[in-house]
Amino acid sequence: MERLLKSDKDCILVAESANDNKVVGMCTIQTLISTAEGGQVGLLEDLIVAAGFRHQGIGSKLLAEAVYWAECQGLKRLQLLADKNNLPALGFYKNQVWLSTELVCLRKP
Ligand SMILES: CC(C)(COP(=O)(O)OP(=O)(O)OC[C@H]1O[C@@H](n2cnc3c(N)ncnc32)[C@H](O)[C@@H]1OP(=O)(O)O)[C@@H](O)C(=O)NCCC(=O)NCCS
């Protein structure tokens, strides 16, 4: 998180409670270079809203701000990874018109 805070090419967005300025939601965007797109793209990570603050539109606003930030930076694409078992999140993204891809994520342990 400290490295992201210091980075001038990545972004941390937070949602604060109007009552006490407590952070109740966040997401991050990290920039990558896509040779396929011919420019910078963004990886959206860490989208979370505190359990007691969900279903109030905070997640949607964070996503909208992430898209706006990406547009302002001239990023050619925003992408994210979600657990295929995280059905609430997948439904949420679908309703926000984020499209599933045919890509499969692999990792080397
Ligand atoms: C996914 C997550 C970020 C969504 O955050 P959120 O603040 O609840 O999102 P929103 O309130 O904008 O939208 C959630 C739902 O509430 C509904 N909603 C929004 N405002 C509302 C309101 N005022 N009253 C009732 N419902 C409302 C939306 O229509 C939406 O429905 P949908 O899920 O069917 O699309 C949140 O559930 C979360 O933190 N989950 C755990 C972490 C996680 O899985 N993150 C994703 C990792 S890939």
Side-chain angles (χ1 to χ4, degrees):
M1 190 61 80
E2 284 173 7
R3 289 168 75 174
L4 275 177
L5 280 167
K6 285 181 190 158
S7 168
D8 56 7
K9 66 181 183 62
D10 305 310
C11 174
I12 303 174
L13 295 171
V14 297
E16 291 181 351
S17 161
N19 295 332
D20 53 8
N21 292 347
K22 195 175 154 191
V23 172
V24 296
M26 68 169 287
C27 72
T28 65
I29 308 147
Q30 299 182 38
T31 57
L32 309 165
I33 295 169
S34 165
T35 53
E37 298 284 1
Q40 284 190 306
V41 298
L43 176 64
L44 189 131
E45 293 250 293
D46 308 315
L47 175 66
I48 186 160
V49 173
F53 291 85
R54 290 179 191 165
H55 299 284
Q56 299 176 30
I58 295 171
S60 312
K61 282 185 187 157
L62 283 166
L63 267 191
E65 282 300 317
V67 170
Y68 178 68
W69 183 85
E71 284 171 0
C72 292
Q73 302 302 307
L75 303 190
K76 294 180 176 289
R77 184 181 71 211
L78 260 186
Q79 63 203 58
L80 63 83
L81 294 167
D83 190 314
K84 67 180 179 185
N85 298 314
N86 192 348
L87 297 180
L90 291 175
F92 167 78
Y93 289 128
K94 188 176 180 191
N95 289 342
Q96 299 293 317
V97 200
W98 279 62
L99 306 176
S100 294
T101 75
E102 296 300 313
L103 293 174
V104 175
C105 179
L106 306 179
R107 70 180 287 173
K108 184 149 179 68

